[in-house]
Amino acid sequence: MSRIITLTTDFGLSDGFVGMMKGVILGINPNATIVDLTHDIAPQNIEQGAFLFANAFRYFPANTIHVVIVDPGVGSARRPIAAQVGETRFVAPDNGVLTMAMESLKPLPCVVHLNRATYWLGRVSQTFHGRDIFAPVAAHLSLGVPLESLGDPVNDWVRLPPSVAVWRAGNEIVGRIVHIDRFGNAITNIGEEMLTAIDRARVETSVRGKTLQGLQSTYAMVERGEVLALISSSGHLEIAMREGNAAQAWGLCLGDEVLVRA
């Protein structure tokens, strides 16, 4: 049976961890189609993983199986879980990394604690559940094993605290940087919907003591090396530099506060 399985991790590609997971999946289901979403999430950054995954998974067919692993609590009391909404299945540690994706879906997900070792590898490392639990579970799901066979149902799965920007003093939005991509573009948690009633030519965006005037529609609207604010492809306010690296130039970091004044 052919089924798409996506992988999202903070493993990087230099140590072979991702390759081992793929080997496990293909050893169980040689016909699986494996798609890498990203393996460059900042190490142990659960919120960044949740944000990136939530913005990507919706572009896949409904019957895709998504494996999401950012797991600083591997080997601890945190549970491994699998979830299902409609035809879509998710496999991940129970630490909130699925929060943004599952909260965007209806109806509420069915979630199980992965406590049936039949569907794991025979020997489980306490430091690599991605290979020994999550990858084989995803492979068995791709072969048609029903969710309820994988473990006991749970309804207290971990949710991250809301990661939303807020209005302050009536005309100021307070948000923060939640992702910096490989181009050095800093993406914030300020959604485009918060900016619909704002005059984009007059809006001011401030971060790290620097202020940008106006929202541009594309990178090409400014000169090379100039920093700008615009709406990213994910629908969030982004701070970028045309043909340059805004994060390096301005010293931007994950978690930096961003202010937008109408």
Side-chain angles (χ1 to χ4, degrees):
M1 180 183 293
S2 179
R3 191 67 62 88
I4 296 173
I5 299 174
T6 75
L7 303 178
T8 301
T9 77
D10 60 351
F11 293 164
L13 294 175
S14 62
D15 296 307
F17 300 135
V18 174
M20 283 185 270
M21 288 179 60
K22 292 180 179 181
V24 169
I25 291 169
L26 295 173
I28 295 169
N29 183 1
N31 295 316
T33 298
I34 304 173
V35 178
D36 298 295
L37 283 184
T38 181
H39 300 292
D40 288 329
I41 295 164
Q44 295 90 48
N45 194 315
I46 296 170
E47 182 188 44
Q48 185 189 30
F51 177 82
L52 289 178
F53 176 67
N55 283 307
F57 85 97
R58 67 195 70 203
Y59 295 101
F60 285 81
N63 63 351
T64 302
I65 297 161
H66 300 283
V67 181
V68 187
I69 307 173
V70 183
D71 197 13
V74 61
S76 69
R78 77 94 186 91
R79 297 172 297 196
I81 59 172
Q84 182 166 350
V85 181
E87 295 182 80
T88 306
R89 271 74 58 81
F90 307 87
V91 182
D94 185 23
N95 59 13
V97 73
L98 294 177
T99 303
M100 298 179 194
M102 295 209 288
E103 287 184 346
S104 71
L105 297 173
K106 296 290 186 272
L108 292 175
C110 298
V111 182
V112 299
H113 176 198
L114 297 174
N115 56 8
R116 309 277 168 81
T118 302
Y119 299 102
W120 308 350
L121 291 191
R123 178 183 178 276
V124 175
S125 164
Q126 292 306 300
T127 63
F128 198 2
H129 286 183
R131 177 194 64 196
D132 301 337
I133 297 179
F134 299 127
V137 162
H140 286 297
L141 282 169
S142 74
L143 290 173
V145 173
L147 187 79
E148 58 268 22
S149 296
L150 302 173
D152 299 325
V154 297
N155 55 21
D156 60 343
W157 53 278
V158 174
R159 281 85 159 171
L160 292 177
S163 178
V164 294
V166 296
W167 283 97
R168 185 171 69 186
N171 65 346
E172 186 175 72
I173 301 170
V174 183
R176 54 196 171 82
I177 295 171
V178 294
H179 177 56
I180 297 174
D181 68 20
R182 70 182 299 270
F183 297 100
N185 302 324
I187 296 91
T188 75
N189 63 345
I190 301 172
E192 183 176 17
E193 68 281 357
M194 300 188 76
L195 306 172
T196 53
I198 291 177
D199 182 347
R200 296 195 177 193
R202 299 182 60 184
V203 67
E204 293 182 345
T205 302
S206 299
V207 60
R208 290 264 173 173
K210 299 179 175 64
T211 298
L212 297 167
Q213 183 72 42
L215 284 182
Q216 307 300 327
S217 58
T218 185
Y219 307 108
M221 297 298 293
V222 300
E223 298 296 322
R224 181 179 181 181
E226 185 176 345
V227 178
L228 68 150
L230 76 167
I231 302 300
S232 73
S233 61
S234 69
H236 293 82
L237 179 71
E238 173 183 310
I239 298 163
M241 174 183 284
R242 180 177 175 180
E243 298 177 49
N245 189 308
Q248 289 182 1
W250 280 17
L252 305 179
C253 300
L254 293 176
D256 280 352
E257 184 177 82
V258 178
L259 301 179
V260 175
R261 299 178 184 87

